[in-house]
Amino acid sequence: MKVVIAGGTGFIGRSLQAELTHAGHEFVLLSRRSGEGMVQWDGQTLGPWTEALAGAHALINLVGESISLPWTAENRRKILASRVDSCHVLGRALAGLQSPPPVWVQSSATGFYGNRGDEVLTEESAAGNTSEFLVETCLAWEGAAREACPSTVELRLVRTGLVLGDGGGALPPILKVARMYLGGSLGSGQQYMSWIHELDLVRQYVWLCDHCERPAIVNGTAPNPARNVDFMATLRRVIGRPWAPPAPALAMKLMAKLGGPASELVLDSCRAIPQAAQRADFEFKFSDLESALRDLVPK
């Protein structure tokens, strides 16, 4: 199977490359850089790179500026535009091919659901409040993919949660703080964290590339979301750290104002479960938080 990956040089993309190689598949990266196995593009305009899509089995689009950037007006524009623009140009490229890949797997995020407290969220749940930046972004992101995708190509969306990995994502900074004996809960600690082990996420992407019947939307999350207070307690147990005081919500908001990540990323609650993937018999290797952390945290 030949897979074309747009935006495949980041944390998730590198893990996806390893999984595809392990499974014996071929892949090509659309990247702003040049190198072996890479085809240059700018993520906005058509060019010779479109030839890489011809005859491929699937397209995976991971393009998007990091949401951990401070949410200034300019960064909000970049976060949104990077996602929407890449969908539009990929759609135009696919429409111009005689033999486009039959499957387009498009990344999205559980930010689609917004801040929903204890509500259990499945792929059938409605979008959150559009006044929330992440909800607005995900709606525009998914809408751009749907609008751009040719009728001859099957679009499949992955609403990714909090990705845990040892080479990037959310875990390294959280682990660093916990090792400094500061691993208490954030805010009330009652907010849900919809986490997933990086291996299960990239396995899910490869699974969605198959030409057989697959869900049109999947939550890229493990089956058991954890409250923040329980997540931090489990992490402290894994690394052998004692109880630590919580970090007040006010401190998170102050850090955001001083140029840190938006406080919504750690204080909002999202209890998303992968109902569609489970119903389609996708098997998770890491359904339990402690087993996932023990696999990822250096011994």
Side-chain angles (χ1 to χ4, degrees), residues 36-270:
E36 185 178 355
M38 294 182 180
V39 175
Q40 282 190 291
W41 78 324
D42 63 4
Q44 295 180 317
T45 56
L46 296 176
W49 60 267
T50 61
E51 297 173 9
L53 292 164
H57 289 79
L59 163 67
I60 296 176
N61 183 20
L62 303 173
V63 174
E65 285 280 356
S66 173
I67 60 168
S68 63
L69 291 171
W71 287 359
T72 62
E74 176 60 17
N75 284 342
R76 286 178 184 239
R77 187 198 65 77
K78 289 180 180 179
I79 289 168
L80 182 57
S82 62
R83 287 159 170 77
V84 170
D85 291 350
S86 68
C87 290
H88 283 161
V89 74
L90 286 169
R92 294 200 302 273
L94 294 176
L97 296 174
Q98 289 188 339
S99 56
V103 175
W104 175 355
V105 185
Q106 172 63 47
S107 64
S108 182
T110 54
F112 173 91
Y113 303 111
N115 184 17
R116 302 283 276 271
D118 292 352
E119 182 182 355
V120 177
L121 302 165
T122 72
E123 293 84 355
E124 298 173 359
S125 299
N129 191 323
T130 55
S131 66
E132 297 178 32
F133 175 61
L134 291 181
V135 177
E136 175 194 11
T137 297
C138 290
L139 283 170
W141 195 3
E142 294 185 11
R146 289 193 177 98
E147 179 184 349
C149 187
S151 60
T152 55
V153 177
E154 184 173 352
L155 180 66
R156 297 168 179 174
L157 299 170
V158 182
R159 291 176 180 158
T160 307
L162 183 74
V163 185
L164 304 181
D166 59 4
L171 184 58
I174 296 175
L175 181 59
K176 182 178 180 180
V177 169
R179 288 194 186 282
M180 295 170 63
Y181 295 87
L182 299 173
S185 58
L186 302 177
S188 70
Q190 296 305 299
Q191 67 272 31
Y192 273 94
M193 302 170 66
S194 296
W195 62 273
I196 188 170
H197 190 293
E198 62 174 324
L199 178 58
D200 278 333
L201 179 64
V202 297
R203 286 178 57 249
Q204 200 174 67
Y205 269 102
V206 176
W207 176 74
L208 286 169
C209 287
D210 286 347
H211 295 180
C212 55
E213 186 175 348
R214 292 286 185 257
I217 304 173
V218 297
N219 284 336
T221 62
N224 298 297
R227 291 189 189 274
N228 177 261
V229 64
D230 298 322
F231 183 99
M232 298 308 298
T234 303
L235 180 58
R236 292 197 306 271
R237 182 165 62 251
V238 167
I239 65 174
R241 292 294 187 270
W243 175 88
L250 183 60
M252 300 296 101
K253 294 176 181 178
L254 178 60
M255 287 176 62
K257 288 185 178 297
L258 295 176
S263 60
E264 289 91 336
L265 295 175
V266 293
L267 296 179
D268 283 1
S269 182
C270 181

